[in-house]
Every structure is written in structure tokens, then in C-alpha cells.
Amino acid sequence: MRILIAVCLMIVVLPLQAQIQGDAVVTIDEQYGNQVKSMTQLPQVQQILSHIEEHDAQTLRDHIALTEIPAPPFAETERAIAFRDMLSTLGVDSIWIDSVGNVLALRKGSGSKTVVLDAHLDTVFPIETDVTVKVKGDTLYAPGIADDTRGLAMVLAIARALQEADVK
């Protein structure tokens, strides 16, 4: 979970400059790595990280619930409605489903920067695919479990933690 949190911080909070070289080796300027390290020491960021870790069971429940709603391309309305309903309880200022089925939410802050959290609703599997999640040890198995319901669960977890920490 700590790796997911660090990745979320790097993707969501910092404008990282990465460079792809050769066989997809990514290098990140040292100053950005240092910024991530110093940010993780801020009390509000510590509160967010703790909240995400403490509520991992809820994140997994969200992940499973969303995965088990079939969402083949152009037929993800049921999952969109479920995701919208989950998100609407997390302190967003407005939420809507646009004309092509995207769930959009706005949570106003106090600064001048915009942070975007993104995940997609659909999977590549036909409607008749069994999307029941099976748990084996600490691993979840189902078609589409990582594409991209993990991203949807991550958006919910971060929104929940930002609300709890009263981040503006």
C-alpha cells in the first residue's frame, strides 16, 4: 500500500519530469524526489497517508463492488452510476455524468492549482463475462480487476482521505 501512496503522490501532486531512455528506464530529476520526500513529512500529508492505510479494507470493498458491475465498452452506465453515487458521499462540490457516460466531479480547493484524478470505467470484456471477484490469499482475481477498477478505487480512496484531512 505504501508504494501505491507514493505513486499517487508523485502522479497527483508533483509535476514530475520523467525521461524515457532505451528499454523504458525512467529517470526522475533528484529535486522532484526530494520534494516528494519532504512532502511526505508534512502533517497533513501524513494524515492523508495514514487515512488511506487505515481504510484499505474500504478501498478493497469499493474495488470489488465496482469490478463486479459489468462495464463493456459503450455499456458502462451501471458502473458509472455506482461510481457517481460512491463519489457523491465524499465531499465533492458537484458531480455529473456527461453525454458520453463519463463521471465528472469537482471538489473546489483554495489554491490556484488544479489537480486531476483519472481512471476509466469500461473494460474490454463482453457483457456476458463473469466478473465475480475471487479472493485467493491476498490477491483478487477477476476480468478487469486492474483495468481500471483499481484506478476507480484509488480515486475514491484519495477523495475520502482529502475530505477527512480537510485539504483545500
Side-chain angles (χ1 to χ4, degrees):
M1 185 55 109
R2 200 49 110 169
I3 292 171
L4 171 66
I5 294 167
V7 169
C8 289
L9 279 173
M10 292 171 65
I11 291 171
V12 174
V13 180
L14 295 175
L16 292 178
Q17 295 178 346
Q19 180 180 7
I20 307 294
Q21 301 173 343
D23 292 337
V25 174
V26 177
T27 57
I28 299 172
D29 190 311
E30 187 177 339
Q31 77 179 24
Y32 297 116
N34 291 336
Q35 286 178 354
V36 168
K37 284 180 187 175
S38 66
M39 277 185 50
T40 61
Q41 301 311 309
L42 297 172
Q44 205 166 33
V45 172
Q46 285 289 313
Q47 184 180 355
I48 291 167
L49 296 174
S50 292
H51 186 277
I52 289 171
E53 285 186 30
E54 290 166 11
H55 292 85
D56 189 50
Q58 178 63 52
T59 301
L60 290 176
R61 285 191 298 274
D62 293 342
H63 190 179
I64 291 168
L66 289 166
T67 298
E68 291 184 340
I69 301 170
F74 310 111
E76 57 269 9
T77 302
E78 186 180 348
R79 186 179 284 179
I81 291 167
F83 182 64
R84 178 202 60 198
D85 292 349
M86 291 171 155
L87 204 59
S88 70
T89 66
L90 302 178
V92 296
D93 295 299
S94 60
I95 188 165
W96 65 101
I97 298 176
D98 70 11
S99 62
V100 294
N102 297 303
V103 178
L104 303 156
L106 175 64
R107 183 178 184 276
K108 295 177 184 173
S110 61
S112 61
K113 299 205 185 230
T114 300
V115 176
V116 177
L117 302 177
D118 173 47
H120 65 86
L121 291 162
D122 67 335
T123 66
V124 298
F125 305 101
I127 192 76
E128 64 275 0
T129 303
D130 179 9
V131 290
T132 304
V133 176
K134 290 155 186 73
V135 180
K136 296 179 186 172
D138 64 353
T139 305
L140 305 176
Y141 295 90
I145 192 88
D147 183 28
D148 185 30
T149 51
R150 185 62 186 161
L152 296 172
M154 179 258 326
V155 169
L156 293 169
I158 292 172
R160 193 174 284 115
L162 291 172
Q163 182 67 12
E164 180 69 25
D166 197 29
V167 172
K168 301 290 187 215

